[in-house]
């Protein structure tokens, strides 16, 4: 049993992305008035989704993507500690002279607290091929990556993007707007079937060519760079020459610090439904965390914005010894070529798909699982549909498949 909130006098959050920021924000709204700090090399927390959208396009600046203005941290007595943690200090928590648990930063500063929250996010996944580790090969995970990418995108730049999933497609769309020429390479055609289902994945991928992007199906075997030009060689021998190469093939959660400290990890820092790690003084949230349920089931790790926020809110509630918030089915969005994509639940669960068409083109897909229950949905420019689908999933409402397919029936009617 955790001590009540009044017995926790200091909380240190390592990582100031959305999940870490949400922990701090929720702790304060829940009444925690002890010492609170966020450690991050980037200082003031900022939001990542705009990095492949409005920020990349120059429509928002660094201030525009901050999760809160600098004054918020002063007003709420949250210390921003600019630095990088390199080691968890657990031994100090034991014995009569215990200082609490702590972290050692790369500059050797040591910081201690009653509770630590790991909100470490992850690293852009790199390609394990020759040239995949070239300094000039771009990735997109943080603001510095976005600044670097932006500085390379001019009218006439040829950008080859490896990975046509969510971020790859968003960057392709933004790069095009900035006047670049884009080749989008992916071994799978169409990508994103697990996220949005076959039909919407097809439709989304097919938007690239008319927009002016060259799509290439193939597996990269080698990347080289000579005289300012990169060449991506595919396994079938095809050569794609471009000024710049961006690899957008997902992320790898930052687990090594937790692992070295002996916390349980498995493609994520393992947490319970309170977001507590295998050391109950240490919590983990967001992209870096992975939940094992009370029944022992290890859930798939989510890497979405709302999940980061939800897990942050859960950790704050648990640290405050308050009832845990209930969260609905997982939700994400993405934007490309002027369309807005949303998905909720599990589109790749066992079952059948029901499609909704407008003008012979699929606009929404619904996945029905066991006993005809809705388990997942995805839509293009259908935010209200997805909101209603989420209600149907969360409440376990059984809906008529014929009505699901009928574009004249607003889904909200079926969610009652
Ligand atoms: C370009 C991009 C576009 C995206 N677009 C969408 C979208 O459209 N829709 C959607 O649902 N999701 C989107 N996402 C995903 C979403 O942004 C992430 O799921 C979310 O940011 C995860 O939050 P987090 O706090 O777990 O991790 P992060 O946001 O990665 O934050 C982790 C923080 O930890 C810090 N850190 C790491 N190691 C240390 C250390 N040792 N010491 C101190 N600090 C450390 C990092 O500097 C970072 O600030 C996007 C992500 C990216 C990168």
């Amino acid at each position: 049993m955790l001590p009540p909130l009044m017995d926790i006098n200091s909380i240190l959050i390592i990582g100031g992305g959305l999940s870490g920021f949400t922990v701090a924000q929720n702790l304060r709204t829940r009444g925690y008035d002890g010492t609170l700090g966020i450690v991050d090399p980037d200082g003031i927390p900022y939001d990542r989704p705009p990095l492949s959208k409005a920020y990349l396009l120059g429509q928002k600046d660094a201030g525009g993507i901050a999760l809160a203005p600098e004054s918020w941290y002063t007003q709420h007595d949250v210390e921003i500690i600019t630095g990088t943690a390199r080691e968890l200090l657990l031994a100090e928590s034991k014995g009569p002279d215990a200082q609490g648990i702590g972290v050692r930063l790369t500059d050797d500063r040591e910081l201690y607290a009653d509770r630590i929250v790991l909100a470490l996010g992850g690293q852009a996944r790199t390609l394990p091929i020759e040239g995949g580790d070239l300094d000039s090969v771009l990735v997109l995970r943080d603001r510095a990556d976005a600044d670097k990418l932006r500085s390379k995108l001019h009218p006439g730049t040829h950008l080859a993007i490896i990975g046509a999933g969510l971020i790859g497609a968003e960057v392709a769309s933004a790069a095009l707007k900035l006047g670049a020429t884009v080749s989008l390479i992916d071994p799978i055609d169409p990508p994103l079937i697990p996220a949005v289902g076959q039909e919407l994945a097809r439709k989304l991928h097919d938007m690239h060519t008319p927009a002016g992007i060259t799509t290439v199906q193939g597996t990269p075997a080698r990347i080289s760079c000579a005289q300012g030009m990169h060449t991506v060689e595919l396994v079938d021998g095809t050569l794609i020459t471009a000024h710049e190469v961006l690899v957008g093939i997902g992320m790898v959660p930052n687990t090594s610090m937790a692992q070295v400290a002996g916390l349980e990890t498995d493609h994520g820092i393992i947490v319970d439904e309170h977001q507590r790690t295998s050391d109950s003084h240490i919590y983990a949230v967001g992209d870096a965390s992975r939940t094992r349920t009370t029944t022992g089931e290890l859930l798939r790790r989510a890497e979405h914005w709302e999940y980061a926020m939800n897990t942050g809110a859960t950790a704050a509630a648990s640290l405050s010894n308050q009832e845990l918030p209930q969260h609905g089915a997982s939700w994400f969005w993405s934007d490309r070529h002027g369309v807005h994509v949303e998905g909720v639940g599990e589109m790749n669960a066992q079952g059948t798909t029901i499609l909704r068409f407008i003008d012979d083109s699929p606009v929404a897909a619904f996945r029905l699982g066991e006993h005809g229950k809705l388990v997942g949905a995805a839509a293009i420019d259908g935010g209200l549909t997805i909101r209603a689908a989420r209600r149907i999933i969360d409440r376990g409402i059984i809906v008529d498949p014929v009505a699901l397919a009928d574009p004249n029936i607003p889904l909200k009617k079926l969610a009652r």
Side-chain angles (χ1 to χ4, degrees), residues 108-388:
D108 285 335
R109 269 182 291 170
E110 290 182 6
L111 306 169
Y112 292 90
D114 295 330
R115 295 287 182 277
I116 284 179
V117 182
L118 300 175
L120 299 167
Q123 314 281 326
R125 190 183 291 279
T126 52
L127 264 179
I129 57 171
E130 188 184 324
D133 56 355
L134 283 173
D135 281 346
S136 57
V137 170
L138 304 165
V139 293
L140 182 54
R141 180 71 203 173
D142 59 24
R143 199 173 50 211
D145 295 336
D147 290 339
K148 190 168 172 187
L149 173 61
R150 178 72 182 85
S151 73
K152 309 270 185 193
L153 295 178
H154 307 290
T157 306
H158 183 184
L159 173 69
I161 301 175
I162 299 174
L166 294 170
I167 289 180
E170 288 186 353
V171 172
S173 168
L176 212 59
K177 282 194 188 147
L178 293 167
T181 306
V182 182
S183 298
L184 190 54
I185 306 160
D186 201 295
I188 297 168
D189 185 2
L192 286 186
I193 293 174
V196 298
Q198 169 76 37
E199 295 79 5
L200 293 193
R202 179 78 272 150
K203 177 169 166 173
L204 288 167
H205 199 56
D206 285 351
M207 286 176 180
H208 292 308
T209 308
I213 290 168
T214 305
T215 55
V216 182
Q217 185 180 6
T219 304
R222 194 169 297 110
I223 305 173
S224 55
C225 182
Q227 285 142 22
M229 289 302 278
H230 290 83
T231 301
V232 180
E233 183 182 339
L234 305 184
V235 167
D236 68 5
T238 305
L239 299 179
I240 295 145
T241 304
H243 297 101
E244 307 296 339
V245 176
L246 173 90
V247 174
I249 55 167
M251 54 81 79
V252 181
N254 282 330
T255 55
S256 59
M257 192 164 56
Q259 201 174 359
V260 168
L263 302 183
E264 193 189 349
T265 62
D266 185 348
H267 303 284
I269 305 169
I270 302 299
V271 293
D272 64 12
E273 279 146 340
H274 288 246
Q275 301 299 136
R276 280 182 306 225
T277 68
S278 51
D279 181 324
S280 64
H281 295 84
I282 302 180
Y283 287 64
V285 290
D287 282 5
S289 67
R290 185 175 183 196
T291 303
R292 178 177 285 124
T293 65
T294 40
T295 58
E297 189 192 354
L298 200 51
L299 302 183
R300 204 156 49 91
R301 202 173 43 75
E303 297 169 6
H304 297 311
W305 186 89
E306 194 192 51
Y307 177 76
M309 205 161 64
N310 288 347
T311 51
T314 296
S318 176
L319 283 159
S320 308
N321 242 7
Q322 295 171 3
E323 199 180 324
L324 300 187
Q326 297 293 312
H327 305 299
S330 78
W331 169 82
F332 75 91
W333 87 96
S334 182
D335 298 298
R336 60 170 80 179
H337 304 309
V339 301
H340 180 71
V341 187
E342 289 190 32
V344 65
E346 298 288 337
M347 277 305 287
N348 63 344
Q350 288 278 331
T352 50
T353 298
I354 304 288
L355 295 172
R356 195 171 260 219
F357 288 86
I358 292 181
D359 296 335
D360 293 333
S361 178
V363 291
F366 304 100
R367 191 77 176 160
L368 298 181
E370 257 180 47
H371 312 300
K373 267 197 180 170
L374 188 66
V375 288
I380 297 174
D381 289 334
L384 291 178
T385 299
I386 294 302
R387 198 183 306 169

Side-chain angles (χ1 to χ4, degrees), residues 20 25 37 60 92 100 147 222 226 240 268 329 348-349 353 365 394 399 407 411:
Q25 189 189 45
K60 281 187 177 178
E92 287 79 354
D147 290 339
R222 194 169 297 110
I240 295 145
N348 63 344
T353 298
D394 292 345
V399 283
L411 210 65

Side-chain angles (χ1 to χ4, degrees), residues 50-62 146-147 150 174 178:
L51 298 181
S52 50
K53 309 175 185 76
Y55 185 81
L56 188 60
L57 285 167
Q59 296 163 348
K60 281 187 177 178
D61 61 9
D147 290 339
R150 178 72 182 85
L178 293 167

